[in-house]
Amino acid sequence: MVKETGSAEETFLLAEQIGKQAVPGQIYALDGDLGAGKTVFCQGFAAGLEVRELVNSPTFTIVQEYTTGKIPLYHFDVYRIEEPEELEEIGYEEYFFGSGICLIEWAGQIRELLPEQTICIRICKMPEKGQDVRRIEIEGLE
Ligand code: ADP
Ligand code: MG
């Protein structure tokens, strides 16, 4: 599925719809340049799960857990990960193979650790179409 959004709000709403339909055990891998809208997507997705806490990029930790929604949400930002072993140290398998949902910003950094059924989301800026336009490609969601 490929969508184009024209504002952060639209990306939020798209992600909110996806979050509403999400099921336990899913992993969503997000990629896209800095400022593409990965965190905005995560915020919308969390709203779809009815998470009540404020969702931001987990700056000081690799993973932030949100447990106020319908399904536990584990929000990863693996930008600073240099070796997959660093994820092993935080016990990522508990998150990936548990019954919550994982959203992973900069998932390309840990490509080799992602299970085959991972849902891949790539957000691209489209400067030729306007500053706020994004192309959002979603693969693996039926
Ligand atoms: P990332 O997490 O990918 O680094 P953020 O989600 O933190 O990016 O930031 C995206 C920025 O781009 C925000 O300031 C947001 O308001 C802005 N923006 C503009 N248009 C869009 C859009 N169509 N979708 C998402 N964000 C957008
Ligand atoms: Mg971010």
Side-chain angles (χ1 to χ4, degrees):
M1 169 167 79
V2 179
K3 297 270 182 190
E4 233 175 69
T5 63
S7 65
E9 175 80 61
E10 266 186 55
T11 297
F12 183 101
L13 292 173
L14 169 68
E16 185 176 25
Q17 288 313 311
I18 295 170
K20 278 186 183 163
Q21 290 161 36
V23 296
Q26 286 179 325
I27 298 178
Y28 292 80
L30 290 144
D31 282 294
D33 295 343
L34 192 69
K38 300 180 293 300
T39 299
V40 168
F41 187 96
C42 293
Q43 290 165 339
F45 190 99
L49 283 179
E50 295 166 34
V51 168
R52 290 191 299 273
E53 299 113 305
L54 191 67
V55 174
N56 267 312
S57 266
T59 321
F60 301 108
T61 50
I62 293 170
V63 59
Q64 183 74 48
E65 308 187 19
Y66 297 101
T67 52
T68 60
K70 289 189 296 181
I71 304 168
L73 179 64
Y74 307 121
H75 181 199
F76 289 75
D77 187 324
V78 298
Y79 182 65
R80 286 178 198 80
I81 295 275
E82 282 167 12
E83 304 282 331
E85 290 72 47
E86 290 175 52
L87 267 197
E88 272 154 34
E89 282 163 25
I90 66 151
Y92 78 95
E93 285 153 309
E94 296 274 333
Y95 297 103
F96 281 23
F97 305 108
S99 50
I101 292 175
C102 294
L103 288 182
I104 310 168
E105 295 195 37
W106 298 102
Q109 298 279 95
I110 56 150
R111 189 63 66 211
E112 56 270 60
L113 298 179
L114 297 173
E116 204 183 327
Q117 64 276 18
T118 297
I119 297 148
C120 294
I121 299 176
R122 169 163 290 280
I123 308 178
C124 298
K125 293 184 188 175
M126 311 231 76
E128 67 283 8
K129 291 202 172 180
Q131 197 185 314
D132 292 346
V133 179
R134 303 289 188 271
R135 179 188 152 92
I136 303 179
E137 271 174 46
I138 302 172
E139 256 173 58
L141 197 61
E142 60 285 343

